[in-house]
Coordinates of all heavy atoms in Angstrom, one line a residue:
M656 N -36.7 39.2 3.8 CA -36.9 40.6 4.0 C -35.6 41.3 3.7 O -34.6 40.9 4.2 CB -37.3 40.9 5.4 CG -37.3 42.3 5.8 SD -37.6 42.7 7.6 CE -39.3 42.9 7.5
D657 N -35.7 42.4 2.9 CA -34.5 43.1 2.6 C -34.5 44.5 3.2 O -35.6 45.1 3.2 CB -34.3 43.3 1.0 CG -33.9 42.0 0.4 OD1 -33.5 41.1 1.0 OD2 -34.0 42.0 -0.9
I658 N -33.4 44.9 3.8 CA -33.3 46.3 4.4 C -32.2 47.0 3.7 O -31.1 46.4 3.5 CB -33.0 46.2 5.9 CG1 -34.2 45.4 6.6 CG2 -32.8 47.5 6.5 CD1 -33.9 45.2 8.1
Y659 N -32.4 48.2 3.3 CA -31.4 49.1 2.7 C -31.1 50.2 3.7 O -32.0 50.9 4.1 CB -31.8 49.6 1.4 CG -30.9 50.6 0.8 CD1 -29.7 50.1 0.1 CD2 -31.1 52.0 0.9 CE1 -28.8 51.0 -0.4 CE2 -30.2 52.9 0.4 CZ -29.0 52.4 -0.3 OH -28.1 53.3 -0.8
L660 N -29.8 50.4 4.0 CA -29.4 51.4 4.9 C -28.5 52.4 4.2 O -27.5 52.0 3.6 CB -28.7 50.9 6.1 CG -29.5 50.0 7.0 CD1 -28.6 49.4 8.1 CD2 -30.6 50.7 7.6
P661 N -28.9 53.7 4.1 CA -28.0 54.6 3.4 C -26.7 54.8 4.0 O -26.5 54.4 5.2 CB -28.8 55.9 3.4 CG -29.9 55.7 4.4 CD -30.1 54.3 4.6
R662 N -25.8 55.5 3.4 CA -24.4 55.6 3.9 C -24.3 56.4 5.1 O -23.3 56.3 5.8 CB -23.5 56.1 2.8 CG -23.9 57.5 2.3 CD -23.0 57.9 1.1 NE -22.3 59.1 1.6 CZ -21.3 59.6 0.9 NH1 -21.0 59.1 -0.3 NH2 -20.7 60.7 1.3
D663 N -25.2 57.3 5.4 CA -25.1 58.2 6.5 C -25.7 57.5 7.8 O -25.7 58.1 8.9 CB -25.8 59.5 6.3 CG -27.3 59.4 6.0 OD1 -27.7 58.3 5.6 OD2 -28.0 60.4 6.1
T664 N -26.1 56.2 7.7 CA -26.6 55.5 8.9 C -25.4 55.0 9.7 O -24.5 54.4 9.1 CB -27.4 54.3 8.4 OG1 -28.5 54.7 7.6 CG2 -28.0 53.6 9.6
S665 N -25.4 55.3 11.0 CA -24.2 54.9 11.8 C -24.3 53.4 12.1 O -25.4 52.8 12.0 CB -24.2 55.7 13.1 OG -25.3 55.3 13.9
R666 N -23.2 52.9 12.5 CA -23.2 51.4 12.9 C -24.1 51.2 14.1 O -24.7 50.1 14.2 CB -21.8 51.0 13.2 CG -20.9 51.0 12.0 CD -19.5 50.6 12.4 NE -19.5 49.1 12.4 CZ -18.4 48.4 12.7 NH1 -17.2 49.0 12.9 NH2 -18.4 47.1 12.7
E667 N -24.2 52.1 15.0 CA -25.0 51.9 16.2 C -26.5 51.9 15.8 O -27.2 51.0 16.3 CB -24.7 53.1 17.2 CG -25.5 53.0 18.5 CD -25.2 51.8 19.3 OE1 -24.1 51.2 19.2 OE2 -26.1 51.4 20.1
V668 N -26.9 52.7 15.0 CA -28.3 52.7 14.5 C -28.6 51.4 13.8 O -29.7 50.8 14.0 CB -28.6 54.0 13.7 CG1 -30.0 53.9 13.0 CG2 -28.5 55.2 14.5
A669 N -27.7 51.0 12.9 CA -27.9 49.8 12.2 C -28.0 48.6 13.1 O -28.8 47.7 13.0 CB -26.8 49.6 11.2
R670 N -27.1 48.6 14.1 CA -27.1 47.5 15.1 C -28.5 47.5 15.9 O -29.1 46.4 16.1 CB -26.0 47.7 16.1 CG -25.9 46.5 17.1 CD -25.0 46.8 18.3 NE -25.4 47.9 19.0 CZ -26.4 47.9 20.0 NH1 -27.0 46.8 20.2 NH2 -26.7 49.0 20.7
Q671 N -29.0 48.6 16.3 CA -30.2 48.7 17.0 C -31.4 48.2 16.2 O -32.2 47.5 16.6 CB -30.5 50.1 17.5 CG -29.6 50.6 18.6 CD -29.8 52.1 18.9 OE1 -30.5 52.8 18.2 NE2 -29.2 52.5 20.0
M672 N -31.4 48.6 14.9 CA -32.5 48.2 14.0 C -32.5 46.7 13.8 O -33.5 46.0 13.9 CB -32.3 48.9 12.7 CG -33.4 48.6 11.7 SD -33.1 49.3 10.1 CE -33.3 51.0 10.5
L673 N -31.3 46.1 13.6 CA -31.2 44.7 13.4 C -31.5 43.9 14.6 O -32.1 42.8 14.6 CB -29.8 44.3 12.8 CG -29.5 44.8 11.4 CD1 -28.1 44.6 11.0 CD2 -30.5 44.3 10.4
T674 N -31.1 44.4 15.8 CA -31.4 43.7 17.0 C -32.9 43.7 17.3 O -33.5 42.7 17.7 CB -30.7 44.5 18.2 OG1 -29.3 44.4 18.0 CG2 -31.0 43.8 19.5
E675 N -33.6 44.8 17.0 CA -35.0 44.9 17.1 C -35.8 43.9 16.2 O -36.7 43.2 16.7 CB -35.5 46.3 16.8 CG -36.9 46.5 17.2 CD -37.3 48.0 17.0 OE1 -36.6 48.9 17.6 OE2 -38.3 48.3 16.3
H676 N -35.3 43.8 15.0 CA -35.9 42.8 14.1 C -35.7 41.4 14.6 O -36.5 40.5 14.5 CB -35.3 42.9 12.7 CG -35.9 44.0 11.9 ND1 -37.2 44.0 11.4 CD2 -35.4 45.2 11.5 CE1 -37.5 45.0 10.7 NE2 -36.4 45.8 10.7
A677 N -34.5 41.1 15.1 CA -34.1 39.8 15.6 C -35.0 39.4 16.8 O -35.5 38.3 17.0 CB -32.7 39.7 15.9
Q678 N -35.2 40.3 17.8 CA -35.9 40.0 19.0 C -37.4 39.9 18.8 O -38.0 39.0 19.3 CB -35.6 41.1 20.1 CG -34.2 41.0 20.6 CD -33.9 42.1 21.6 OE1 -34.6 43.1 21.7 NE2 -32.8 42.0 22.3
H679 N -37.9 40.8 18.0 CA -39.4 40.9 17.9 C -40.0 40.1 16.8 O -41.2 39.8 16.8 CB -39.8 42.4 17.9 CG -39.5 43.2 19.1 ND1 -40.0 42.9 20.3 CD2 -38.6 44.1 19.2 CE1 -39.4 43.7 21.2 NE2 -38.6 44.5 20.6
G680 N -39.2 39.8 15.8 CA -39.7 39.2 14.6 C -39.1 37.8 14.3 O -39.4 37.2 13.3
S681 N -38.2 37.4 15.1 CA -37.5 36.1 15.0 C -36.7 36.1 13.6 O -36.8 35.1 12.9 CB -38.4 34.9 15.0 OG -39.0 34.9 16.3
W682 N -36.1 37.1 13.3 CA -35.3 37.2 12.1 C -33.8 37.1 12.4 O -33.4 37.3 13.5 CB -35.5 38.6 11.4 CG -36.8 38.8 10.8 CD1 -37.8 39.5 11.5 CD2 -37.3 38.4 9.6 NE1 -38.9 39.5 10.7 CE2 -38.7 38.9 9.5 CE3 -36.8 37.7 8.5 CZ2 -39.5 38.7 8.4 CZ3 -37.6 37.5 7.4 CH2 -38.9 38.0 7.4
E683 N -33.0 36.6 11.4 CA -31.6 36.5 11.5 C -31.0 37.0 10.2 O -31.6 36.9 9.2 CB -31.1 35.1 11.9 CG -31.4 34.0 10.9 CD -31.0 32.7 11.4 OE1 -30.6 32.5 12.6 OE2 -31.2 31.7 10.6
I684 N -29.7 37.4 10.3 CA -29.1 37.9 9.1 C -28.7 36.7 8.1 O -28.1 35.8 8.6 CB -27.8 38.7 9.4 CG1 -28.1 39.9 10.2 CG2 -27.0 39.0 8.2 CD1 -26.9 40.7 10.6
D685 N -29.1 36.9 6.9 CA -28.8 35.9 5.9 C -27.6 36.3 5.1 O -26.6 35.6 4.9 CB -30.0 35.6 5.0 CG -29.8 34.5 4.0 OD1 -29.0 33.6 4.3 OD2 -30.3 34.6 2.9
R686 N -27.6 37.6 4.6 CA -26.5 38.2 3.9 C -26.4 39.7 4.2 O -27.4 40.3 4.4 CB -26.7 38.1 2.4 CG -26.7 36.7 1.9 CD -26.5 36.7 0.4 NE -26.2 35.3 0.0 CZ -27.1 34.5 -0.5 NH1 -28.3 34.9 -0.7 NH2 -26.8 33.3 -0.9
L687 N -25.2 40.2 4.2 CA -25.0 41.6 4.4 C -24.0 42.0 3.4 O -22.9 41.4 3.3 CB -24.5 41.9 5.8 CG -24.4 43.4 6.2 CD1 -24.8 43.6 7.6 CD2 -23.0 43.9 6.0
R688 N -24.3 43.1 2.7 CA -23.4 43.6 1.6 C -23.1 45.0 1.9 O -24.1 45.8 2.1 CB -24.0 43.4 0.3 CG -23.1 44.0 -0.8 CD -23.3 43.3 -2.1 NE -22.2 43.8 -3.0 CZ -22.3 43.7 -4.3 NH1 -23.3 43.1 -4.8 NH2 -21.3 44.2 -5.0
L689 N -21.9 45.4 2.0 CA -21.4 46.7 2.2 C -20.9 47.3 0.9 O -20.0 46.7 0.3 CB -20.3 46.8 3.3 CG -19.7 48.1 3.6 CD1 -20.8 49.1 4.2 CD2 -18.6 48.0 4.6
Y690 N -21.5 48.3 0.4 CA -21.1 48.9 -0.9 C -20.0 49.9 -0.7 O -19.8 50.5 0.4 CB -22.3 49.6 -1.6 CG -23.4 48.5 -2.0 CD1 -24.5 48.3 -1.2 CD2 -23.2 47.8 -3.2 CE1 -25.4 47.4 -1.6 CE2 -24.2 46.9 -3.6 CZ -25.3 46.7 -2.8 OH -26.2 45.7 -3.1
P691 N -19.3 50.2 -1.8 CA -18.1 51.1 -1.7 C -18.5 52.5 -1.3 O -17.7 53.2 -0.7 CB -17.6 51.2 -3.2 CG -18.0 49.9 -3.8 CD -19.3 49.5 -3.1
D692 N -19.8 52.9 -1.5 CA -20.2 54.3 -1.1 C -20.6 54.3 0.4 O -20.9 55.4 0.9 CB -21.3 54.8 -1.9 CG -22.6 54.0 -1.7 OD1 -22.6 53.0 -1.1 OD2 -23.7 54.5 -2.3
G693 N -20.5 53.2 1.1 CA -20.8 53.1 2.5 C -22.3 52.6 2.8 O -22.6 52.4 4.0
S694 N -23.1 52.5 1.8 CA -24.4 52.0 2.1 C -24.4 50.5 2.3 O -23.4 49.8 2.0 CB -25.4 52.3 0.9 OG -24.9 51.7 -0.3
R695 N -25.5 50.0 2.9 CA -25.6 48.5 3.3 C -26.9 48.0 2.8 O -27.9 48.6 2.9 CB -25.5 48.3 4.8 CG -24.2 48.8 5.4 CD -24.4 48.6 7.0 NE -23.3 49.1 7.7 CZ -23.2 50.3 8.2 NH1 -24.2 51.1 8.1 NH2 -22.1 50.7 8.8
R696 N -26.9 46.7 2.3 CA -28.1 46.0 2.0 C -28.0 44.7 2.8 O -27.1 44.0 2.7 CB -28.2 45.7 0.5 CG -29.5 45.0 0.2 CD -29.7 44.9 -1.3 NE -29.6 46.1 -2.0 CZ -30.6 47.0 -2.2 NH1 -31.8 46.7 -1.7 NH2 -30.5 48.1 -2.9
I697 N -29.0 44.5 3.6 CA -29.1 43.4 4.5 C -30.3 42.5 4.2 O -31.4 43.0 4.0 CB -29.2 43.9 6.0 CG1 -28.0 44.8 6.4 CG2 -29.3 42.7 6.9 CD1 -28.4 46.1 6.9
R698 N -30.1 41.2 4.0 CA -31.1 40.3 3.8 C -31.3 39.5 5.0 O -30.4 38.9 5.6 CB -30.8 39.4 2.6 CG -31.9 38.3 2.4 CD -31.8 37.6 1.1 NE -32.2 38.6 0.1 CZ -32.2 38.4 -1.2 NH1 -31.7 37.3 -1.6 NH2 -32.6 39.3 -2.0
L699 N -32.6 39.5 5.5 CA -32.9 38.8 6.8 C -33.8 37.6 6.4 O -34.5 37.6 5.4 CB -33.7 39.7 7.7 CG -33.0 40.9 8.2 CD1 -34.0 41.8 9.0 CD2 -31.8 40.6 9.0
R700 N -33.7 36.5 7.2 CA -34.5 35.4 7.0 C -35.1 35.0 8.3 O -34.6 35.3 9.4 CB -33.8 34.2 6.4 CG -32.7 33.7 7.3 CD -32.0 32.5 6.7 NE -31.0 32.1 7.6 CZ -30.3 31.0 7.5 NH1 -30.4 30.2 6.4 NH2 -29.3 30.7 8.4
R701 N -36.2 34.3 8.3 CA -36.8 33.8 9.5 C -36.0 32.7 10.1 O -35.4 31.9 9.5 CB -38.2 33.2 9.2 CG -39.3 34.2 8.9 CD -39.7 34.8 10.2 NE -40.8 35.7 9.9 CZ -41.5 36.4 10.8 NH1 -41.1 36.3 12.0 NH2 -42.4 37.2 10.5
K702 N -35.8 32.9 11.5 CA -35.0 31.9 12.2 C -35.8 30.6 12.3 O -37.0 30.6 12.5 CB -34.8 32.4 13.6 CG -33.8 31.5 14.4 CD -33.6 32.1 15.8 CE -32.9 33.4 15.8 NZ -32.5 33.8 17.1
V703 N -35.1 29.5 12.0 CA -35.7 28.2 12.0 C -35.7 27.7 13.5 O -34.7 27.6 14.1 CB -35.0 27.2 11.1 CG1 -35.6 25.8 11.2 CG2 -35.0 27.7 9.7
I704 N -36.9 27.4 14.0 CA -37.0 26.9 15.4 C -37.4 25.4 15.3 O -38.5 25.1 14.8 CB -38.0 27.7 16.2 CG1 -37.6 29.1 16.2 CG2 -38.2 27.1 17.6 CD1 -38.7 30.0 16.9
R705 N -36.5 24.6 15.6 CA -36.7 23.1 15.5 C -37.4 22.6 16.8 O -37.0 22.9 17.9 CB -35.4 22.4 15.3 CG -34.6 22.9 14.1 CD -33.8 21.8 13.5 NE -32.8 22.2 12.5 CZ -33.1 22.7 11.3 NH1 -34.4 22.9 11.0 NH2 -32.2 23.0 10.5
A706 N -38.4 21.8 16.6 CA -39.1 21.2 17.7 C -38.2 20.1 18.3 O -37.6 19.3 17.6 CB -40.4 20.6 17.3
V707 N -38.2 20.0 19.7 CA -37.4 19.0 20.4 C -38.4 17.9 20.9 O -39.4 18.3 21.6 CB -36.6 19.6 21.5 CG1 -35.8 18.6 22.3 CG2 -35.7 20.7 21.0
R708 N -38.1 16.7 20.6 CA -38.9 15.6 21.1 C -38.7 15.5 22.6 O -37.6 15.4 23.1 CB -38.6 14.4 20.3 CG -39.5 13.3 20.5 CD -39.2 12.2 19.6 NE -40.2 11.1 19.8 CZ -40.2 10.0 19.1 NH1 -39.3 9.8 18.2 NH2 -41.1 9.1 19.4
T709 N -39.8 15.3 23.3 CA -39.8 15.2 24.8 C -39.8 13.8 25.3 O -39.6 13.5 26.4 CB -40.9 16.0 25.4 OG1 -42.2 15.5 24.9 CG2 -40.8 17.5 25.1
M710 N -40.2 12.9 24.4 CA -40.3 11.5 24.9 C -39.3 10.6 24.2 O -38.8 10.7 23.2 CB -41.7 10.9 24.6 CG -42.7 11.6 25.4 SD -43.3 10.3 26.6 CE -44.4 11.3 27.6

């Protein structure tokens, strides 16, 4: 999943958006690119949940 944030997006709003994706969709940041004009492109990937053997 790719998210594009324009340059007028504050760091706080970006943090809230990414936190919401992480908590509710099990996403984690794969790549984050900050462009010279201040815009950001964030690539998210599904978090890998490994099964733990109980026996």
Side-chain angles (χ1 to χ4, degrees):
M656 168 187 268
D657 287 347
I658 298 174
Y659 174 78
L660 299 175
R662 62 184 244 172
D663 61 343
T664 305
S665 69
R666 292 181 82 177
E667 182 63 24
V668 171
R670 184 192 63 79
Q671 288 174 353
M672 182 183 293
L673 294 174
T674 300
E675 190 170 308
H676 279 290
Q678 288 178 347
H679 299 294
S681 298
W682 293 95
E683 62 185 5
I684 295 176
D685 185 30
R686 292 196 171 100
L687 187 140
R688 178 152 187 197
L689 180 62
Y690 291 99
D692 68 350
S694 62
R695 298 175 185 95
R696 183 171 306 273
I697 301 125
R698 175 163 290 174
L699 300 175
R700 66 177 179 173
R701 285 284 184 177
K702 187 181 292 188
V703 177
I704 300 173
R705 304 209 191 292
V707 178
R708 193 170 178 180
T709 58
M710 294 247 174

